[in-house]
Each structure stands twice: as structure tokens, then as C-alpha cells.
Amino acid sequence: MFTGLVEEVGRIQQISRSGEAMVLGIAGSVVLGDLKIGDSVSVNGVCLTATQVGTKDFKVDVMPETFRSSNLKELKSGSRVNLERAMAANGRFGGHIVQGHVDGTGTIRRVTSDQNAVVYEVAPTDQAIFKYILLKGSITLDGISLTVAQRTGDTFAVSIIPHTLSETALQAKREGDTVNIECDILGKYVEQLLNYGRSAATQGTEKAPMSLDYLAKHGFA
């Protein structure tokens, strides 16, 4: 699990690709402090496993599912990436619950200034994930824990403070670039629970759908 607080910006040193499978060699410093083979590390918001760890760099494998679901396939030698080690049990929980399981990508539609902040307007590639994007709710873009500041019909916007921009690879993103999107896991769990059993039959009897009427009938609302 991660917090969405980027520890450092690393650089892609090497990319080995075979079809939709990749091995990335990434240069870093902070995350290498105690990183071990088998540890989880977030690369642009994608949870990957360290397969080799050196003094100045480490390697990770990217499987086809991750390749297809994220913007890692767009990386080139020299690309900057956001890095974060998995959260320590005794660490501060400064962001929000981030799994590193990307829901999809989005395209930056517009970048504008708002006094001391920079506003990024993003259009999700798959509009199906838009239902999990809540105004003032948490969202992760390229591994950065952010708050949804605006929500329109097919886009949402986040407002970035100068410190976050200067400490992450987002500063290099321009209109038309893509970002990895991970929605708040809480909304996905709620949806799963509310919809569970709507179409499945147990011993020949279909379960009643969860609804406000159902909760009221059973004394919960």
C-alpha cells in the first residue's frame, strides 16, 4: 500500500521490451535507501516489484496487463517517473489509501494557472471510471495523491501547489500528455457491496438488490 506522497523523481535508464512485456531500469537515490529485491515500489502510480537492486538504480518487470492499463508503455530512456516505496507500518499517513492498481489513463486537456496553483484538467480514457471520481474526493495521478477540485461532464480537474509540482514529474507534463489514474478504493468497495447478488442466484433464490428501500425495510435507513 502507498500514500500517494512521492518520495523522489527517478529517471528511466534502460527499457527492454518484448511485445507487451517490459523490464525497466530506473535510477534513483531516496528509494534505494532500504529497497530490497521483492519489495513493492510505485512507479508513476503503478505498483511494481523490484527484481534487481543496485547502488544507484533498480529494475522492475512490467507485465502485459500493466502495459495495456497504464502509461508505462510511453516511457523512453531519460523519462522522469514518480517513485514511492510501500508505506511503512510506523509511517505517517499523509495522503490517502493508494494501492498502485491503476484504473486507467487520462489525457491532460488543459493546464491553467490559478494564482499560486496550477490546475490540470483531465479526461479519462475510459469514461466508466468517472463514477468513482467525486468532487473533493481523493484521486491519484501518476502516483500523486490529489483532491478533485472540479468535475464536469467528461473531465475533472485537480489543483496543484508549487511544492507538489516541483517535487514530482508532473511538472514536465503538457496538454495532450497522459497520466495514470487510480480512483479512491473506498468507492469501488461500496459499489461492489451494493451490487453484490443482484444477478447471482443462491440455491435458486435471487438475492434482493441493495437499495434505499431495502435498507429502510430492514431498519437501516
Side-chain angles (χ1 to χ4, degrees), residues 113-147:
S113 297
D114 183 12
Q115 297 185 54
N116 70 331
V118 179
V119 177
Y120 286 76
E121 183 181 344
V122 180
T125 302
D126 182 0
Q127 286 290 307
I129 70 173
F130 211 81
K131 59 185 175 181
Y132 303 120
I133 300 175
L134 178 69
L135 185 63
K136 304 304 180 183
S138 296
I139 196 164
T140 309
L141 298 185
D142 274 355
I144 308 168
S145 174
L146 298 167
T147 301

PDB file of all heavy atoms in Angstrom, residues 113-147:
ATOM      1  N   SER A 113      -3.253  28.451 -14.806  1.00  0.00           N
ATOM      2  CA  SER A 113      -2.785  28.977 -13.523  1.00  0.00           C
ATOM      3  C   SER A 113      -3.960  29.519 -12.729  1.00  0.00           C
ATOM      4  O   SER A 113      -4.891  30.105 -13.286  1.00  0.00           O
ATOM      5  CB  SER A 113      -1.750  30.086 -13.742  1.00  0.00           C
ATOM      6  OG  SER A 113      -0.603  29.589 -14.381  1.00  0.00           O
ATOM      7  N   ASP A 114      -3.909  29.326 -11.427  1.00  0.00           N
ATOM      8  CA  ASP A 114      -4.915  29.878 -10.527  1.00  0.00           C
ATOM      9  C   ASP A 114      -4.180  30.470  -9.325  1.00  0.00           C
ATOM     10  O   ASP A 114      -4.008  29.820  -8.311  1.00  0.00           O
ATOM     11  CB  ASP A 114      -5.906  28.801 -10.090  1.00  0.00           C
ATOM     12  CG  ASP A 114      -7.020  29.354  -9.210  1.00  0.00           C
ATOM     13  OD1 ASP A 114      -7.150  30.592  -9.128  1.00  0.00           O
ATOM     14  OD2 ASP A 114      -7.745  28.546  -8.590  1.00  0.00           O
ATOM     15  N   GLN A 115      -3.700  31.696  -9.504  1.00  0.00           N
ATOM     16  CA  GLN A 115      -2.886  32.388  -8.506  1.00  0.00           C
ATOM     17  C   GLN A 115      -1.634  31.545  -8.183  1.00  0.00           C
ATOM     18  O   GLN A 115      -0.773  31.386  -9.041  1.00  0.00           O
ATOM     19  CB  GLN A 115      -3.731  32.705  -7.274  1.00  0.00           C
ATOM     20  CG  GLN A 115      -4.889  33.649  -7.598  1.00  0.00           C
ATOM     21  CD  GLN A 115      -5.665  34.089  -6.396  1.00  0.00           C
ATOM     22  OE1 GLN A 115      -5.092  34.605  -5.433  1.00  0.00           O
ATOM     23  NE2 GLN A 115      -6.983  33.921  -6.461  1.00  0.00           N
ATOM     24  N   ASN A 116      -1.528  30.966  -6.997  1.00  0.00           N
ATOM     25  CA  ASN A 116      -0.309  30.218  -6.665  1.00  0.00           C
ATOM     26  C   ASN A 116      -0.402  28.739  -7.030  1.00  0.00           C
ATOM     27  O   ASN A 116       0.513  27.961  -6.729  1.00  0.00           O
ATOM     28  CB  ASN A 116      -0.006  30.344  -5.169  1.00  0.00           C
ATOM     29  CG  ASN A 116      -1.005  29.605  -4.298  1.00  0.00           C
ATOM     30  OD1 ASN A 116      -2.169  29.459  -4.688  1.00  0.00           O
ATOM     31  ND2 ASN A 116      -0.556  29.133  -3.135  1.00  0.00           N
ATOM     32  N   ALA A 117      -1.475  28.334  -7.685  1.00  0.00           N
ATOM     33  CA  ALA A 117      -1.673  26.926  -8.029  1.00  0.00           C
ATOM     34  C   ALA A 117      -1.710  26.741  -9.542  1.00  0.00           C
ATOM     35  O   ALA A 117      -1.898  27.685 -10.304  1.00  0.00           O
ATOM     36  CB  ALA A 117      -2.966  26.404  -7.405  1.00  0.00           C
ATOM     37  N   VAL A 118      -1.516  25.488  -9.958  1.00  0.00           N
ATOM     38  CA  VAL A 118      -1.661  25.123 -11.365  1.00  0.00           C
ATOM     39  C   VAL A 118      -2.766  24.083 -11.451  1.00  0.00           C
ATOM     40  O   VAL A 118      -2.758  23.088 -10.714  1.00  0.00           O
ATOM     41  CB  VAL A 118      -0.352  24.546 -11.943  1.00  0.00           C
ATOM     42  CG1 VAL A 118      -0.546  24.147 -13.400  1.00  0.00           C
ATOM     43  CG2 VAL A 118       0.774  25.567 -11.822  1.00  0.00           C
ATOM     44  N   VAL A 119      -3.734  24.319 -12.326  1.00  0.00           N
ATOM     45  CA  VAL A 119      -4.890  23.438 -12.453  1.00  0.00           C
ATOM     46  C   VAL A 119      -4.732  22.560 -13.691  1.00  0.00           C
ATOM     47  O   VAL A 119      -4.492  23.061 -14.791  1.00  0.00           O
ATOM     48  CB  VAL A 119      -6.201  24.254 -12.555  1.00  0.00           C
ATOM     49  CG1 VAL A 119      -7.398  23.329 -12.757  1.00  0.00           C
ATOM     50  CG2 VAL A 119      -6.384  25.110 -11.308  1.00  0.00           C
ATOM     51  N   TYR A 120      -4.851  21.255 -13.478  1.00  0.00           N
ATOM     52  CA  TYR A 120      -4.779  20.289 -14.572  1.00  0.00           C
ATOM     53  C   TYR A 120      -6.172  19.708 -14.799  1.00  0.00           C
ATOM     54  O   TYR A 120      -6.759  19.111 -13.892  1.00  0.00           O
ATOM     55  CB  TYR A 120      -3.811  19.150 -14.234  1.00  0.00           C
ATOM     56  CG  TYR A 120      -2.359  19.540 -14.312  1.00  0.00           C
ATOM     57  CD1 TYR A 120      -1.773  20.309 -13.312  1.00  0.00           C
ATOM     58  CD2 TYR A 120      -1.555  19.129 -15.370  1.00  0.00           C
ATOM     59  CE1 TYR A 120      -0.435  20.672 -13.368  1.00  0.00           C
ATOM     60  CE2 TYR A 120      -0.218  19.479 -15.441  1.00  0.00           C
ATOM     61  CZ  TYR A 120       0.333  20.248 -14.440  1.00  0.00           C
ATOM     62  OH  TYR A 120       1.660  20.600 -14.499  1.00  0.00           O
ATOM     63  N   GLU A 121      -6.687  19.887 -16.009  1.00  0.00           N
ATOM     64  CA  GLU A 121      -7.972  19.299 -16.379  1.00  0.00           C
ATOM     65  C   GLU A 121      -7.702  18.003 -17.151  1.00  0.00           C
ATOM     66  O   GLU A 121      -6.948  18.008 -18.128  1.00  0.00           O
ATOM     67  CB  GLU A 121      -8.779  20.263 -17.244  1.00  0.00           C
ATOM     68  CG  GLU A 121     -10.167  19.744 -17.607  1.00  0.00           C
ATOM     69  CD  GLU A 121     -10.930  20.713 -18.492  1.00  0.00           C
ATOM     70  OE1 GLU A 121     -10.523  21.896 -18.581  1.00  0.00           O
ATOM     71  OE2 GLU A 121     -11.928  20.281 -19.114  1.00  0.00           O
ATOM     72  N   VAL A 122      -8.321  16.920 -16.705  1.00  0.00           N
ATOM     73  CA  VAL A 122      -8.023  15.595 -17.249  1.00  0.00           C
ATOM     74  C   VAL A 122      -9.294  14.914 -17.744  1.00  0.00           C
ATOM     75  O   VAL A 122     -10.336  14.954 -17.083  1.00  0.00           O
ATOM     76  CB  VAL A 122      -7.350  14.703 -16.178  1.00  0.00           C
ATOM     77  CG1 VAL A 122      -7.050  13.322 -16.737  1.00  0.00           C
ATOM     78  CG2 VAL A 122      -6.072  15.357 -15.657  1.00  0.00           C
ATOM     79  N   ALA A 123      -9.196  14.273 -18.904  1.00  0.00           N
ATOM     80  CA  ALA A 123     -10.304  13.493 -19.457  1.00  0.00           C
ATOM     81  C   ALA A 123      -9.935  12.018 -19.389  1.00  0.00           C
ATOM     82  O   ALA A 123      -8.990  11.584 -20.057  1.00  0.00           O
ATOM     83  CB  ALA A 123     -10.579  13.892 -20.902  1.00  0.00           C
ATOM     84  N   PRO A 124     -10.646  11.214 -18.587  1.00  0.00           N
ATOM     85  CA  PRO A 124     -10.356   9.784 -18.521  1.00  0.00           C
ATOM     86  C   PRO A 124     -10.564   9.115 -19.878  1.00  0.00           C
ATOM     87  O   PRO A 124     -11.529   9.427 -20.586  1.00  0.00           O
ATOM     88  CB  PRO A 124     -11.370   9.262 -17.489  1.00  0.00           C
ATOM     89  CG  PRO A 124     -11.752  10.455 -16.680  1.00  0.00           C
ATOM     90  CD  PRO A 124     -11.718  11.603 -17.645  1.00  0.00           C
ATOM     91  N   THR A 125      -9.659   8.216 -20.242  1.00  0.00           N
ATOM     92  CA  THR A 125      -9.798   7.486 -21.497  1.00  0.00           C
ATOM     93  C   THR A 125     -11.034   6.605 -21.466  1.00  0.00           C
ATOM     94  O   THR A 125     -11.761   6.490 -22.454  1.00  0.00           O
ATOM     95  CB  THR A 125      -8.550   6.623 -21.749  1.00  0.00           C
ATOM     96  OG1 THR A 125      -7.396   7.483 -21.763  1.00  0.00           O
ATOM     97  CG2 THR A 125      -8.646   5.890 -23.082  1.00  0.00           C
ATOM     98  N   ASP A 126     -11.278   5.986 -20.333  1.00  0.00           N
ATOM     99  CA  ASP A 126     -12.461   5.155 -20.136  1.00  0.00           C
ATOM    100  C   ASP A 126     -13.429   5.901 -19.230  1.00  0.00           C
ATOM    101  O   ASP A 126     -13.187   6.045 -18.031  1.00  0.00           O
ATOM    102  CB  ASP A 126     -12.066   3.813 -19.508  1.00  0.00           C
ATOM    103  CG  ASP A 126     -13.251   2.874 -19.328  1.00  0.00           C
ATOM    104  OD1 ASP A 126     -14.375   3.262 -19.691  1.00  0.00           O
ATOM    105  OD2 ASP A 126     -13.044   1.746 -18.814  1.00  0.00           O
ATOM    106  N   GLN A 127     -14.515   6.372 -19.791  1.00  0.00           N
ATOM    107  CA  GLN A 127     -15.477   7.161 -19.019  1.00  0.00           C
ATOM    108  C   GLN A 127     -16.177   6.343 -17.932  1.00  0.00           C
ATOM    109  O   GLN A 127     -16.812   6.904 -17.040  1.00  0.00           O
ATOM    110  CB  GLN A 127     -16.516   7.777 -19.955  1.00  0.00           C
ATOM    111  CG  GLN A 127     -15.987   8.944 -20.785  1.00  0.00           C
ATOM    112  CD  GLN A 127     -15.715  10.175 -19.935  1.00  0.00           C
ATOM    113  OE1 GLN A 127     -16.564  10.645 -19.197  1.00  0.00           O
ATOM    114  NE2 GLN A 127     -14.504  10.705 -20.042  1.00  0.00           N
ATOM    115  N   ALA A 128     -16.036   5.020 -17.986  1.00  0.00           N
ATOM    116  CA  ALA A 128     -16.676   4.171 -16.978  1.00  0.00           C
ATOM    117  C   ALA A 128     -16.128   4.442 -15.583  1.00  0.00           C
ATOM    118  O   ALA A 128     -16.835   4.255 -14.585  1.00  0.00           O
ATOM    119  CB  ALA A 128     -16.495   2.695 -17.341  1.00  0.00           C
ATOM    120  N   ILE A 129     -14.879   4.891 -15.484  1.00  0.00           N
ATOM    121  CA  ILE A 129     -14.302   5.134 -14.160  1.00  0.00           C
ATOM    122  C   ILE A 129     -14.744   6.478 -13.592  1.00  0.00           C
ATOM    123  O   ILE A 129     -14.467   6.774 -12.433  1.00  0.00           O
ATOM    124  CB  ILE A 129     -12.763   5.057 -14.179  1.00  0.00           C
ATOM    125  CG1 ILE A 129     -12.161   6.254 -14.951  1.00  0.00           C
ATOM    126  CG2 ILE A 129     -12.288   3.746 -14.769  1.00  0.00           C
ATOM    127  CD1 ILE A 129     -10.643   6.324 -14.859  1.00  0.00           C
ATOM    128  N   PHE A 130     -15.451   7.272 -14.412  1.00  0.00           N
ATOM    129  CA  PHE A 130     -15.856   8.602 -13.961  1.00  0.00           C
ATOM    130  C   PHE A 130     -16.790   8.536 -12.756  1.00  0.00           C
ATOM    131  O   PHE A 130     -16.839   9.462 -11.949  1.00  0.00           O
ATOM    132  CB  PHE A 130     -16.531   9.362 -15.108  1.00  0.00           C
ATOM    133  CG  PHE A 130     -16.327  10.843 -15.049  1.00  0.00           C
ATOM    134  CD1 PHE A 130     -15.152  11.422 -15.504  1.00  0.00           C
ATOM    135  CD2 PHE A 130     -17.300  11.667 -14.512  1.00  0.00           C
ATOM    136  CE1 PHE A 130     -14.959  12.787 -15.440  1.00  0.00           C
ATOM    137  CE2 PHE A 130     -17.118  13.037 -14.446  1.00  0.00           C
ATOM    138  CZ  PHE A 130     -15.936  13.605 -14.907  1.00  0.00           C
ATOM    139  N   LYS A 131     -17.520   7.424 -12.623  1.00  0.00           N
ATOM    140  CA  LYS A 131     -18.456   7.300 -11.496  1.00  0.00           C
ATOM    141  C   LYS A 131     -17.738   7.236 -10.148  1.00  0.00           C
ATOM    142  O   LYS A 131     -18.338   7.473  -9.107  1.00  0.00           O
ATOM    143  CB  LYS A 131     -19.319   6.046 -11.670  1.00  0.00           C
ATOM    144  CG  LYS A 131     -18.533   4.748 -11.748  1.00  0.00           C
ATOM    145  CD  LYS A 131     -19.447   3.574 -12.037  1.00  0.00           C
ATOM    146  CE  LYS A 131     -18.662   2.282 -12.238  1.00  0.00           C
ATOM    147  NZ  LYS A 131     -19.534   1.132 -12.552  1.00  0.00           N
ATOM    148  N   TYR A 132     -16.442   6.911 -10.169  1.00  0.00           N
ATOM    149  CA  TYR A 132     -15.675   6.845  -8.923  1.00  0.00           C
ATOM    150  C   TYR A 132     -14.995   8.166  -8.591  1.00  0.00           C
ATOM    151  O   TYR A 132     -14.345   8.276  -7.556  1.00  0.00           O
ATOM    152  CB  TYR A 132     -14.589   5.770  -9.022  1.00  0.00           C
ATOM    153  CG  TYR A 132     -15.102   4.391  -9.339  1.00  0.00           C
ATOM    154  CD1 TYR A 132     -14.684   3.726 -10.484  1.00  0.00           C
ATOM    155  CD2 TYR A 132     -16.009   3.743  -8.500  1.00  0.00           C
ATOM    156  CE1 TYR A 132     -15.140   2.456 -10.788  1.00  0.00           C
ATOM    157  CE2 TYR A 132     -16.478   2.482  -8.794  1.00  0.00           C
ATOM    158  CZ  TYR A 132     -16.037   1.837  -9.947  1.00  0.00           C
ATOM    159  OH  TYR A 132     -16.501   0.583 -10.236  1.00  0.00           O
ATOM    160  N   ILE A 133     -15.125   9.148  -9.465  1.00  0.00           N
ATOM    161  CA  ILE A 133     -14.444  10.428  -9.269  1.00  0.00           C
ATOM    162  C   ILE A 133     -15.404  11.405  -8.613  1.00  0.00           C
ATOM    163  O   ILE A 133     -16.378  11.857  -9.221  1.00  0.00           O
ATOM    164  CB  ILE A 133     -13.922  10.961 -10.618  1.00  0.00           C
ATOM    165  CG1 ILE A 133     -12.936   9.964 -11.225  1.00  0.00           C
ATOM    166  CG2 ILE A 133     -13.258  12.318 -10.425  1.00  0.00           C
ATOM    167  CD1 ILE A 133     -12.454  10.328 -12.613  1.00  0.00           C
ATOM    168  N   LEU A 134     -15.146  11.720  -7.367  1.00  0.00           N
ATOM    169  CA  LEU A 134     -16.051  12.507  -6.533  1.00  0.00           C
ATOM    170  C   LEU A 134     -15.482  13.897  -6.280  1.00  0.00           C
ATOM    171  O   LEU A 134     -14.295  14.031  -5.955  1.00  0.00           O
ATOM    172  CB  LEU A 134     -16.278  11.785  -5.207  1.00  0.00           C
ATOM    173  CG  LEU A 134     -17.159  12.464  -4.168  1.00  0.00           C
ATOM    174  CD1 LEU A 134     -18.600  12.496  -4.640  1.00  0.00           C
ATOM    175  CD2 LEU A 134     -17.053  11.731  -2.832  1.00  0.00           C
ATOM    176  N   LEU A 135     -16.293  14.915  -6.438  1.00  0.00           N
ATOM    177  CA  LEU A 135     -15.865  16.271  -6.146  1.00  0.00           C
ATOM    178  C   LEU A 135     -15.376  16.363  -4.706  1.00  0.00           C
ATOM    179  O   LEU A 135     -16.078  15.938  -3.779  1.00  0.00           O
ATOM    180  CB  LEU A 135     -17.019  17.251  -6.383  1.00  0.00           C
ATOM    181  CG  LEU A 135     -16.689  18.739  -6.221  1.00  0.00           C
ATOM    182  CD1 LEU A 135     -15.649  19.179  -7.241  1.00  0.00           C
ATOM    183  CD2 LEU A 135     -17.953  19.581  -6.334  1.00  0.00           C
ATOM    184  N   LYS A 136     -14.192  16.882  -4.523  1.00  0.00           N
ATOM    185  CA  LYS A 136     -13.498  16.994  -3.227  1.00  0.00           C
ATOM    186  C   LYS A 136     -13.023  15.632  -2.701  1.00  0.00           C
ATOM    187  O   LYS A 136     -12.541  15.551  -1.565  1.00  0.00           O
ATOM    188  CB  LYS A 136     -14.376  17.673  -2.159  1.00  0.00           C
ATOM    189  CG  LYS A 136     -14.896  19.048  -2.561  1.00  0.00           C
ATOM    190  CD  LYS A 136     -13.772  20.003  -2.944  1.00  0.00           C
ATOM    191  CE  LYS A 136     -14.328  21.363  -3.349  1.00  0.00           C
ATOM    192  NZ  LYS A 136     -13.257  22.280  -3.799  1.00  0.00           N
ATOM    193  N   GLY A 137     -13.163  14.603  -3.523  1.00  0.00           N
ATOM    194  CA  GLY A 137     -12.671  13.286  -3.131  1.00  0.00           C
ATOM    195  C   GLY A 137     -11.210  13.105  -3.520  1.00  0.00           C
ATOM    196  O   GLY A 137     -10.624  13.920  -4.239  1.00  0.00           O
ATOM    197  N   SER A 138     -10.622  12.009  -3.062  1.00  0.00           N
ATOM    198  CA  SER A 138      -9.220  11.725  -3.355  1.00  0.00           C
ATOM    199  C   SER A 138      -9.066  11.023  -4.698  1.00  0.00           C
ATOM    200  O   SER A 138      -9.930  10.242  -5.107  1.00  0.00           O
ATOM    201  CB  SER A 138      -8.626  10.840  -2.257  1.00  0.00           C
ATOM    202  OG  SER A 138      -8.611  11.501  -1.011  1.00  0.00           O
ATOM    203  N   ILE A 139      -7.967  11.312  -5.375  1.00  0.00           N
ATOM    204  CA  ILE A 139      -7.639  10.649  -6.636  1.00  0.00           C
ATOM    205  C   ILE A 139      -6.121  10.641  -6.778  1.00  0.00           C
ATOM    206  O   ILE A 139      -5.432  11.504  -6.212  1.00  0.00           O
ATOM    207  CB  ILE A 139      -8.300  11.355  -7.835  1.00  0.00           C
ATOM    208  CG1 ILE A 139      -8.287  10.448  -9.068  1.00  0.00           C
ATOM    209  CG2 ILE A 139      -7.633  12.706  -8.118  1.00  0.00           C
ATOM    210  CD1 ILE A 139      -9.226  10.891 -10.160  1.00  0.00           C
ATOM    211  N   THR A 140      -5.619   9.663  -7.496  1.00  0.00           N
ATOM    212  CA  THR A 140      -4.180   9.559  -7.705  1.00  0.00           C
ATOM    213  C   THR A 140      -3.859   9.737  -9.181  1.00  0.00           C
ATOM    214  O   THR A 140      -4.417   9.046 -10.026  1.00  0.00           O
ATOM    215  CB  THR A 140      -3.654   8.184  -7.244  1.00  0.00           C
ATOM    216  OG1 THR A 140      -4.102   7.918  -5.922  1.00  0.00           O
ATOM    217  CG2 THR A 140      -2.140   8.145  -7.281  1.00  0.00           C
ATOM    218  N   LEU A 141      -2.963  10.665  -9.486  1.00  0.00           N
ATOM    219  CA  LEU A 141      -2.495  10.881 -10.853  1.00  0.00           C
ATOM    220  C   LEU A 141      -0.992  10.618 -10.892  1.00  0.00           C
ATOM    221  O   LEU A 141      -0.228  11.295 -10.185  1.00  0.00           O
ATOM    222  CB  LEU A 141      -2.782  12.307 -11.327  1.00  0.00           C
ATOM    223  CG  LEU A 141      -4.247  12.743 -11.410  1.00  0.00           C
ATOM    224  CD1 LEU A 141      -4.336  14.142 -12.012  1.00  0.00           C
ATOM    225  CD2 LEU A 141      -5.077  11.765 -12.228  1.00  0.00           C
ATOM    226  N   ASP A 142      -0.576   9.639 -11.679  1.00  0.00           N
ATOM    227  CA  ASP A 142       0.843   9.276 -11.773  1.00  0.00           C
ATOM    228  C   ASP A 142       1.455   9.078 -10.388  1.00  0.00           C
ATOM    229  O   ASP A 142       2.605   9.464 -10.133  1.00  0.00           O
ATOM    230  CB  ASP A 142       1.621  10.339 -12.555  1.00  0.00           C
ATOM    231  CG  ASP A 142       1.563  10.101 -14.063  1.00  0.00           C
ATOM    232  OD1 ASP A 142       1.015   9.069 -14.495  1.00  0.00           O
ATOM    233  OD2 ASP A 142       2.082  10.951 -14.824  1.00  0.00           O
ATOM    234  N   GLY A 143       0.668   8.504  -9.486  1.00  0.00           N
ATOM    235  CA  GLY A 143       1.170   8.198  -8.147  1.00  0.00           C
ATOM    236  C   GLY A 143       1.098   9.329  -7.159  1.00  0.00           C
ATOM    237  O   GLY A 143       1.575   9.193  -6.030  1.00  0.00           O
ATOM    238  N   ILE A 144       0.487  10.462  -7.527  1.00  0.00           N
ATOM    239  CA  ILE A 144       0.403  11.623  -6.639  1.00  0.00           C
ATOM    240  C   ILE A 144      -0.987  11.695  -6.027  1.00  0.00           C
ATOM    241  O   ILE A 144      -1.988  11.714  -6.735  1.00  0.00           O
ATOM    242  CB  ILE A 144       0.676  12.922  -7.416  1.00  0.00           C
ATOM    243  CG1 ILE A 144       1.976  12.825  -8.208  1.00  0.00           C
ATOM    244  CG2 ILE A 144       0.708  14.117  -6.473  1.00  0.00           C
ATOM    245  CD1 ILE A 144       2.151  13.952  -9.211  1.00  0.00           C
ATOM    246  N   SER A 145      -1.063  11.748  -4.706  1.00  0.00           N
ATOM    247  CA  SER A 145      -2.338  11.884  -4.013  1.00  0.00           C
ATOM    248  C   SER A 145      -2.841  13.312  -4.161  1.00  0.00           C
ATOM    249  O   SER A 145      -2.191  14.264  -3.736  1.00  0.00           O
ATOM    250  CB  SER A 145      -2.173  11.550  -2.527  1.00  0.00           C
ATOM    251  OG  SER A 145      -3.374  11.810  -1.816  1.00  0.00           O
ATOM    252  N   LEU A 146      -4.025  13.454  -4.791  1.00  0.00           N
ATOM    253  CA  LEU A 146      -4.585  14.773  -5.067  1.00  0.00           C
ATOM    254  C   LEU A 146      -6.069  14.813  -4.711  1.00  0.00           C
ATOM    255  O   LEU A 146      -6.673  13.774  -4.428  1.00  0.00           O
ATOM    256  CB  LEU A 146      -4.392  15.122  -6.549  1.00  0.00           C
ATOM    257  CG  LEU A 146      -2.933  15.211  -7.032  1.00  0.00           C
ATOM    258  CD1 LEU A 146      -2.873  15.250  -8.548  1.00  0.00           C
ATOM    259  CD2 LEU A 146      -2.239  16.425  -6.429  1.00  0.00           C
ATOM    260  N   THR A 147      -6.639  16.009  -4.751  1.00  0.00           N
ATOM    261  CA  THR A 147      -8.055  16.206  -4.463  1.00  0.00           C
ATOM    262  C   THR A 147      -8.762  16.722  -5.715  1.00  0.00           C
ATOM    263  O   THR A 147      -8.265  17.627  -6.381  1.00  0.00           O
ATOM    264  CB  THR A 147      -8.248  17.218  -3.316  1.00  0.00           C
ATOM    265  OG1 THR A 147      -7.575  16.742  -2.154  1.00  0.00           O
ATOM    266  CG2 THR A 147      -9.721  17.398  -3.001  1.00  0.00           C
TER     267      THR A 147
END
